[in-house]
Amino acid sequence: MVMAALSSFRVLVVPGLYNSSPQHWQSRWQRLYPSFERVEQARWDAPVLEVWSEHLRQQLQKSAQPTLAIAHSFGCLTTVHGALNQVPNLAGALLVAPADPDKFDVSAAVSGRLPVPAIVVGSLNDPWMESRRARHWAKVWGAEYIDAGALGHINAESNLGDWLYGQSLLQRLVTLSAEHVQGNDVRDTVRSTASR
């Protein structure tokens, strides 16, 4: 079901600090859907926003296909920073358990409304971002906020398996992003026709 709906999108997995272990839902999703690609970082232990964001940009430039980012923790901040700095071909973002920008002194760099549809998934007991802060940042980013309950940092320690609920949220993002891309195509056609 999900793969069929995703067929018109490229999908990039954007892990956070220390990468995602084999039992992390991001890694499990990559095994379920082999076409998903991972954004690799040279230093997984050194979260430098501009450096990580540049790696995301480089990955996005490899294909003109509309792309969805599936991000976790600092990977969410990476994705937001990239989107606010006009990385190419990004069509939507699933931002799961974002790290609090204040903890990394990058709040100014990730403040702004995202130009693409986004869903922020927060947890009631996430040590990296209190749920009220996650709601605040979702509002800043113009993203839909989903309260996932008490799931910790929504990582391997949360024992989510293939995280079926997360896959349903990805399905929702596919729908939102398809509408966004189609709307942009229509606007581009209108502008092109008007300029003739």
Side-chain angles (χ1 to χ4, degrees):
M1 172 89 176
V2 174
M3 265 322 277
L6 282 174
S7 60
S8 59
F9 291 98
R10 182 182 182 211
V11 178
L12 293 183
V13 170
V14 189
L17 188 61
Y18 305 122
N19 203 347
S20 291
S21 69
Q23 291 311 308
H24 194 291
W25 59 268
Q26 283 184 316
S27 300
R28 295 176 70 108
W29 285 13
Q30 279 193 275
R31 290 194 293 274
L32 284 172
Y33 308 112
S35 64
F36 287 13
E37 303 168 59
R38 182 171 299 221
V39 177
E40 297 289 344
Q41 301 294 340
R43 291 282 309 277
W44 286 108
D45 62 337
V48 179
L49 189 61
E50 293 78 9
V51 173
W52 283 37
S53 182
E54 179 56 26
H55 286 159
L56 173 61
R57 174 186 295 279
Q58 290 170 6
Q59 192 80 359
L60 283 163
Q61 286 175 329
K62 292 179 180 179
S63 170
Q65 188 175 12
T67 302
L68 303 179
I70 301 174
H72 180 256
S73 195
F74 195 81
C76 296
L77 305 185
T78 301
T79 302
V80 167
H81 183 264
L84 292 175
N85 286 280
Q86 301 176 328
V87 290
N89 310 317
L90 187 65
L94 181 62
L95 306 170
V96 180
D100 193 327
D102 286 350
K103 292 187 177 184
F104 294 92
D105 296 319
V106 297
S107 293
V110 296
S111 291
R113 189 174 183 87
L114 297 176
V116 297
I119 298 172
V120 171
V121 185
S123 167
L124 293 173
N125 59 343
D126 187 344
W128 285 93
M129 174 99 90
E130 293 179 7
S131 59
R132 66 176 181 81
R133 295 280 297 152
R135 284 182 189 274
H136 162 76
W137 281 106
K139 188 173 182 180
V140 169
W141 297 330
E144 179 181 349
Y145 181 77
I146 300 292
D147 179 347
L151 294 180
H153 194 40
I154 315 182
N155 56 9
E157 285 71 39
S158 303
N159 296 314
L160 297 171
D162 293 335
W163 196 30
L164 298 180
Y165 180 63
Q167 290 184 55
S168 75
L169 295 177
L170 177 58
Q171 179 66 51
R172 175 163 174 68
L173 180 65
V174 166
T175 301
L176 294 172
S177 299
E179 292 169 359
H180 175 75
V181 169
Q182 186 176 33
N184 282 345
D185 289 345
V186 169
R187 284 189 289 276
D188 289 345
T189 301
V190 169
R191 276 195 292 266
S192 175
T193 303
S195 65
R196 287 179 189 160

